[in-house]
Amino acid sequence: MTRNLALLSLLLLSLAACGPASADAGDPADPLLVAAASDLQFAFGEIARLYEEETGRPVRVTFGSTGNLTAQIENGAPYDVLAAANVAYVEQLDEQGLIVSGTKQLYARGRLALVVNRQSGLHVSRLDDLRDAAVRRVAIANPEHAPYGLAAQQALQSAGVWDAVRDRLVLGENVSQTLQFVQTGDAPVGIVALSIADVPEVQGALLDEDLHDPIDQVMAVIQGSPREDAARDFVRFVNGPVGQEIMVQYGFVLPGESD
């Protein structure tokens, strides 16, 4: 009897030492899985590298259109964080109980750029130039699931050139693929995120943000993440001094600031 009580006491002490189950269970070497909008390709590449250097936890970022990433999360994709290109998709997930309460944060406002392939011979610096029949193809991201594609459509409509170019549109799966169309010349002109427009093959012009709805970008921790503490920490890092400095370098407007 005494021996059994002693064993039970040791077991209880062992459980107490372990403490409650952590929201950030698992090996710290396990990568943090971040789903990020394609306009973040360059900025989050740097942010993920610096976060890993500071914390020792690797970050694996999957880039895509926000709509497609949202659909993946709805179907059970094991992401820890979603960095979306607009508010609507995060709210859509929140309504389904797929976002950790209190983790939604605005982290940037994006801008659009009109870009043209440098070897195309075309002189395009404003949307009205797209009326020229010499501009045979214009690339934008698919407005059905890419926030930057929707903003591009709104800009074309506001500028009064939508009807003139709609039959010449080439739709990218996301804004990164849209840029690739312009880089290769498959579509010599396109409308993409300013944050990825600084590449050697194209030259670009910033579009007036009054032409489209604000591209307010929101991120949040995904419900059920086994690395919730680390996911929260990554969100803080993006909105901290290091992350914000990088976002500004790539043309984003920070929360609470104007361009």
Side-chain angles (χ1 to χ4, degrees):
M1 180 72 172
T2 303
R3 182 172 181 274
N4 289 340
L5 287 173
L7 289 173
L8 179 59
S9 298
L10 287 172
L11 177 61
L12 291 174
L13 286 171
S14 176
L15 291 173
C18 293
S22 171
D24 194 29
D27 189 339
D30 288 345
L32 192 66
L33 305 181
V34 177
S38 291
D39 67 299
L40 299 167
Q41 179 180 353
F42 299 145
F44 265 40
E46 290 194 29
I47 288 174
R49 176 179 58 80
L50 292 173
Y51 179 81
E52 182 171 348
E53 288 178 0
E54 181 171 306
T55 66
R57 181 182 288 273
V59 180
R60 183 182 302 159
V61 186
T62 299
F63 296 103
S65 72
T66 298
N68 285 342
L69 293 172
T70 298
Q72 291 174 23
I73 292 168
E74 290 172 330
N75 287 304
Y79 296 118
D80 301 302
V81 176
L82 171 64
N86 72 0
V87 180
Y89 285 105
V90 175
E91 291 181 342
Q92 176 179 317
L93 291 174
D94 197 15
E95 290 170 359
Q96 300 174 68
L98 296 176
I99 295 298
V100 175
S101 177
T103 63
K104 289 188 294 185
Q105 287 193 28
L106 178 69
Y107 65 95
R109 172 172 288 183
R111 299 296 307 275
L112 284 179
L114 177 65
V115 293
V116 59
N117 183 288
R118 291 183 182 274
Q119 297 182 350
S120 68
L122 296 172
H123 300 284
V124 177
S125 60
R126 56 195 183 118
L127 293 178
D128 202 55
D129 293 336
L130 300 180
R131 297 180 187 276
D132 190 339
V135 183
R136 296 185 177 182
R137 291 180 299 279
V138 179
I140 67 171
N142 192 328
E144 293 296 322
H145 54 247
Y148 276 88
L150 178 59
Q153 177 179 329
Q154 292 171 346
L156 291 167
Q157 290 170 331
S158 297
V161 298
W162 174 255
D163 290 337
V165 303
R166 63 188 306 173
D167 292 336
R168 291 181 276 153
L169 289 178
V170 178
L171 301 182
E173 184 67 15
N174 51 59
V175 75
S176 181
Q177 186 183 63
T178 303
L179 177 64
Q180 291 173 12
F181 289 156
V182 183
Q183 288 176 288
T184 61
D186 289 339
V189 179
I191 301 175
V192 301
L194 176 65
S195 59
I196 60 172
D198 187 15
V199 293
E201 300 86 355
V202 310
Q203 58 187 12
L206 181 66
L207 292 181
D208 187 340
E209 62 181 344
D210 291 336
L211 292 171
H212 56 84
D213 291 340
I215 310 174
D216 285 337
Q217 306 200 189
V218 172
M219 64 192 311
V221 177
I222 304 303
Q223 185 67 48
S225 164
R227 293 166 287 273
E228 184 180 317
D229 287 350
R232 288 174 178 269
D233 189 51
F234 181 78
V235 171
R236 285 192 293 268
F237 188 82
V238 173
N239 266 343
V242 174
Q244 287 190 331
E245 181 178 350
I246 293 172
M247 296 299 285
V248 169
Q249 288 175 5
Y250 285 97
F252 290 99
V253 180
L254 297 179
E257 295 186 359
S258 59
D259 191 19

